[in-house]
Amino acid sequence: MLGFKAFLPEKIFTETASTKNVVVDSLMLEAIEAEGGTTETDTLSNRKITFKATNGIKFPAETFEDYKGYQHLVNFYEKLLQLENTKQGKVRIAYFGDSMTDGDLIVKDFRASLQERFGGEGVGFVSITSESAPSRSTITHQFSTNWKTQSFLNVKSPRSPFGVNGHVFFVKHDTINPVWVRYKANNVKHLTQLNNPTLFYGRSGNREGRLNVIVGRDTLRKKLNPVSTLNTLNVAGDVKGFRADFIAADSIPFYGFNFDDGRGVHVDNFSNRGNSGLPIGSFNTNVMKAFNEKLGYDLIVLQYGTNVLGNGSLNFGWYEKRMAKVVEHLRECFPGVDILIISTADKSKKYGLEMKTDSAVVPLNTAQKRYAVKTQSSYVNLYTLMGGDGSMVKWVEEEAPALANKDYTHFNFRGSKKISDLIWNQINGGYEQYKRLRGFKTHVAPKPVSATPIDTPKTEKPTQVRAAQAGNPKPEPAKKPAIRKDTIIRKKDTTHAQ
């Protein structure tokens, strides 16, 4: 069995409380120092929350305790309704998160449920490099080590503005080794092709840069033209995979590639380990408007909290205040977009000899709900959906197989699928209610779909047994592909290189 270990993807999270690979964004540390002692006056918990009609649609009033804010998804729901009825158009979601969504966890199943219901092919926007690339199952992503990466987690003044993924990438001058990226579609339903691969890059005075795009035995030569705030370059039609070599591309800021078929629903996963959500407030408004013009977002999801819990305080007024500003900034960057806040999940820590819910979870959850209400955003209370107090302990110790890792913080693959289902069910429940308010007949919602491979062996492989022993759930037969040695890249972490 030990011989198979080298062929397994790198684990996203450790099985213990050690988090040596996780950094905490610098903006959160500054916010705690500046406003950590401030408190917010409670004016919401004892009153009903009423809504103003949007396009003639008005949802019933809600209490603060049970707040969901479907009213603030009316524009998003209308786009889904038109898509469902006409089979025309497209809907796009930007899903921002921290280590909970690393490796496309949670998001991949959320994407699969939406694409199964409303159509759409493609994995969406993928960065030039990513620390979670080896563990991502929805696309095979490899890259050379000679990329320079700047992240909004720890760089205040990047050489060029950050992209919508919170990063900007530059080639390192190297006369010997080429600078390259490689993407390959995996056998996952709705993601079996790299649909319309398109490079996104920024402005530069360099007019000599070009790409050599290698598809099979063919090489396509593409010239870069970095004259605008945001530039795009279609590199091929629908393909199974390609490699792009970046030639004489010094000083040009690169962001990533987008893969979608231009119709249905597409969900971009913008996860960053250690992110509190506050760095999003550093987005350049003009650059984000340029991204929005080309991609067209209808919903922004913010799922944060894991990295905010460990600051030693039970007062999160500072976080509520700062994240409210982040939401308002997002509305400037992406005019007309609806916003969904997903709360922190349960997290456990040891009190004496017993693992219990971290005492900071409920106060943070309340602060997140408060800024959702104040900013007129929709809200998913993930803490209560997964069972409330003590639920993480149950997910780790009582579920068989376990749904979360032994750090009592992160979900494994099986638990991430369940979390995705909880989120999907709430959003879809609001959508069905919207349809009734619009006078349309509703039907029993389809079950959430799993983003699983579609042509896999019928027997469990030794690598699957090893994965289950490593803390991940035991895959069902015929749903997990054999992992080949040539799909694994061993690399150094370049995400936070300066």
Side-chain angles (χ1 to χ4, degrees):
M1 288 297 295
L2 293 177
F4 290 97
K5 188 172 183 180
F7 299 94
L8 292 173
E10 295 179 7
K11 290 176 69 62
I12 302 176
F13 313 114
T14 61
E15 284 293 320
T16 66
S18 173
T19 55
K20 65 181 181 179
N21 293 323
V22 178
V23 298
V24 178
D25 69 72
S26 57
L27 286 178
M28 187 185 80
L29 298 178
E30 292 177 4
I32 293 173
E33 183 177 356
E35 301 186 56
T38 62
T39 58
E40 293 288 326
T41 302
D42 187 359
T43 60
L44 297 173
S45 59
N46 294 322
R47 68 176 177 87
K48 277 196 171 183
I49 300 168
T50 57
F51 306 106
K52 294 181 180 179
T54 304
N55 300 328
I57 300 299
K58 184 177 180 180
F59 279 83
E62 298 183 75
T63 65
F64 179 77
E65 181 179 359
D66 298 321
Y67 177 75
K68 296 181 176 65
Y70 291 144
Q71 183 69 47
H72 306 307
L73 295 180
V74 165
N75 293 326
F76 171 65
Y77 284 154
E78 179 62 24
K79 291 291 291 289
L80 289 181
L81 181 60
Q82 296 303 316
L83 187 58
E84 184 175 31
N85 287 340
T86 67
K87 311 301 180 186
Q88 300 294 322
K90 58 183 179 179
V91 173
R92 195 174 198 99
I93 300 171
Y95 202 121
F96 292 93
D98 51 27
S99 55
M100 287 295 188
T101 56
D102 200 61
D104 221 12
L105 289 178
I106 300 177
V107 181
K108 67 177 182 179
D109 294 305
F110 182 69
R111 180 190 300 113
S113 295
L114 283 160
Q115 291 185 332
E116 184 70 14
R117 173 79 180 273
F118 300 101
E121 302 284 328
V123 73
F125 195 96
V126 182
S127 294
I128 292 293
T129 76
S130 171
E131 60 189 342
S132 63
S135 57
R136 184 167 182 170
S137 63
T138 47
I139 189 171
T140 298
H141 179 197
Q142 300 169 310
F143 42 88
S144 61
T145 58
N146 45 359
W147 282 97
K148 179 178 177 60
T149 301
Q150 292 189 316
S151 166
F152 64 178
L153 265 67
N154 50 25
V155 176
K156 285 187 176 181
S157 301
R159 288 171 54 184
S160 292
F162 298 119
V164 68
N165 51 356
H167 292 80
V168 59
F169 305 88
F170 298 91
V171 302
K172 290 183 179 179
H173 183 69
D174 194 330
T175 58
I176 300 176
N177 300 310
V179 182
W180 56 269
V181 295
R182 180 187 290 121
Y183 302 94
K184 182 180 179 182
N186 293 338
N187 292 320
V188 179
K189 192 173 184 181
H190 302 297
L191 309 179
T192 57
Q193 295 285 324
L194 299 180
N195 305 94
N196 190 36
T198 303
L199 174 66
F200 282 65
Y201 61 106
R203 189 194 305 273
S204 171
N206 182 348
R207 299 294 184 266
E208 304 300 321
R210 62 188 187 277
L211 292 189
N212 286 344
V213 183
I214 303 167
V215 182
R217 296 182 178 180
D218 298 326
T219 299
L220 309 174
R221 291 174 173 80
K222 302 279 185 174
K223 182 175 176 57
L224 296 169
N225 189 30
V227 296
S228 301
T229 299
L230 182 64
N231 309 276
T232 58
L233 176 66
N234 178 258
V235 301
D238 292 355
V239 294
K240 185 68 176 180
F242 70 91
R243 166 173 162 156
D245 290 345
F246 292 72
I247 312 299
D250 303 50
S251 81
I252 300 177
F254 296 100
Y255 299 116
F257 283 85
N258 179 58
F259 307 102
D260 73 61
D261 65 345
R263 56 184 180 272
V265 179
H266 302 103
V267 184
D268 300 332
N269 182 2
F270 300 129
S271 63
N272 290 276
R273 299 177 190 177
N275 194 357
S276 67
L278 296 181
I280 293 175
S282 65
F283 277 156
N284 180 287
T285 303
N286 291 332
V287 173
M288 291 306 107
K289 286 182 177 180
F291 269 99
N292 195 42
E293 182 179 346
K294 294 181 181 298
L295 295 173
Y297 289 106
D298 302 290
L299 177 68
I300 289 178
V301 180
L302 302 177
Q303 182 175 349
Y304 294 108
T306 304
N307 303 291
V308 186
L309 290 169
N311 68 78
S313 173
L314 301 182
N315 172 26
F316 294 98
W318 60 273
Y319 186 67
E320 175 186 335
K321 181 179 179 181
R322 293 292 182 99
M323 283 303 293
K325 292 181 179 179
V326 167
V327 171
E328 295 307 319
H329 182 60
L330 283 172
R331 289 204 166 101
E332 294 177 2
C333 294
F334 304 93
V337 70
D338 288 345
I339 294 179
L340 171 67
I341 311 299
I342 298 179
S343 81
T344 181
D346 189 31
K347 176 183 182 294
S348 297
K349 61 186 292 186
K350 184 170 286 187
Y351 292 91
L353 299 177
E354 187 177 359
M355 295 298 295
K356 297 181 180 180
T357 290
D358 190 323
S359 58
V361 168
V362 172
L364 175 58
N365 179 289
T366 301
Q368 290 175 310
K369 189 188 300 185
R370 286 172 59 85
Y371 86 73
V373 173
K374 289 181 177 181
T375 60
Q376 298 185 350
S377 303
S378 187
Y379 181 74
V380 171
N381 192 331
L382 198 55
Y383 168 70
T384 58
L385 285 181
M386 66 179 289
D389 185 61
S391 55
M392 181 57 78
V393 174
K394 294 178 181 178
W395 284 44
V396 174
E397 298 179 0
E398 298 181 16
E399 296 290 343
L403 299 174
N405 295 328
K406 291 181 180 178
D407 62 356
Y408 292 84
T409 301
H410 295 97
F411 304 106
N412 56 28
F413 292 93
R414 186 184 296 271
S416 295
K417 171 63 169 63
K418 185 172 181 177
I419 290 295
S420 172
D421 292 350
L422 293 173
I423 297 170
W424 156 256
N425 287 337
Q426 178 171 318
I427 293 176
N428 186 67
Y431 174 61
E432 294 299 332
Q433 187 176 352
Y434 174 75
K435 289 168 65 176
R436 290 192 294 271
L437 291 171
R438 287 272 277 109
F440 287 83
K441 292 183 179 180
T442 59
H443 55 82
V444 177
K447 293 182 179 180
V449 177
S450 177
T452 52
I454 59 177
D455 57 347
T456 54
K458 295 183 178 180
T459 57
E460 184 176 282
K461 298 297 183 182
T463 51
Q464 296 173 328
V465 176
R466 171 64 64 181
Q469 291 175 346
N472 294 331
K474 179 181 178 181
E476 296 177 3
K479 286 191 176 182
K480 190 175 182 66
I483 300 173
R484 304 189 308 274
K485 186 174 183 180
D486 62 0
T487 67
I488 304 300
I489 179 172
R490 303 297 178 187
K491 62 179 182 61
K492 296 181 180 179
D493 184 355
T494 61
T495 301
H496 304 298
Q498 298 297 312

